[in-house]
Amino acid sequence: MTAARRIVLSSDHAAIPLRQAIAAHVAAKGWEVVDIGPTTTESTDYPRHGEAAARRVASGDCALGIVVCGTGQGIMMAANKVKGVRCGVCADTFSARMIRAHNDANMLALGARVVGEGLALEIVDAFLTAEFEGGRHATRVAMIKALEA
Ligand code: RB5
C-alpha cells in the first residue's frame, strides 16, 4: 500500500485502549495502520510519542497521523514542533472536518479522558474523509509554513 493510505498512530499510557480502538477502526476502513505504541500501561512521556508519530508524517512515510493522550493537548503540542506537521486537537466532528478543509492538518490529536470511544471514532471519520479546500486557505497554510522557515 502507498503512503497515501498509510496512517501512523501513537499515544501515551493514558490512551492505549482508545488508540487500539482507533487502529482497528481505521484498518477496517482500508487504511494501512502503523501503530508505534506504546503497548504497556507503564507511565510514559507524551512528547516522545508525539514526536515519533510526527516524524513519520513529516518524512512522508505516512500521509496522516493520529495521536492520543489524556487530554490530547500535550501530544498535539509535541507533534506540532516537528516541521511540516499541522496537528489539531478535536473533541467534536466539526473541528475535525475543518482542520483538514481549512488548515490542511495532517495530524489529529484526541483526549482519551475527554471523549468517549464512540465520539472519538466519529471524529476520526470526519478527519479522514474531509479534504483540503485550497484557495484562500492555501495562502493561509503557506503563512503557517513560513513561520517554520
Ligand atoms: C498523563 O497523565 C497526561 O498528562 C497526558 O496524558 C496528557 O493529558 C498531557 O497532555
Side-chain angles (χ1 to χ4, degrees), residues 12-14 46 69-75 113:
D12 72 359
H13 57 280
Y46 61 80
C69 67
T71 59
Q73 300 290 350
I75 205 161
R113 295 172 179 160

Side-chain angles (χ1 to χ4, degrees), residues 102 132-141:
H102 285 191
F132 182 49
E133 293 175 7
R136 69 185 189 281
H137 305 298
T139 305
R140 293 163 183 164
V141 171

Side-chain angles (χ1 to χ4, degrees), residues 28-93:
K29 301 270 179 184
W31 286 82
E32 180 185 352
V33 175
V34 180
D35 187 342
I36 59 172
T39 54
T40 75
T41 54
E42 191 179 335
S43 183
T44 185
D45 303 318
Y46 61 80
R48 292 197 297 116
H49 303 291
E51 180 196 355
R55 294 212 180 278
R56 295 287 188 120
V57 174
S59 71
D61 180 45
C62 296
L64 297 172
I66 299 176
V67 286
V68 199
C69 67
T71 59
Q73 300 290 350
I75 205 161
M76 175 272 290
M77 291 177 194
N80 275 321
K81 295 299 181 187
V82 175
K83 187 175 181 179
V85 164
R86 289 174 302 285
C87 182
V89 60
C90 296
D92 65 275
T93 56

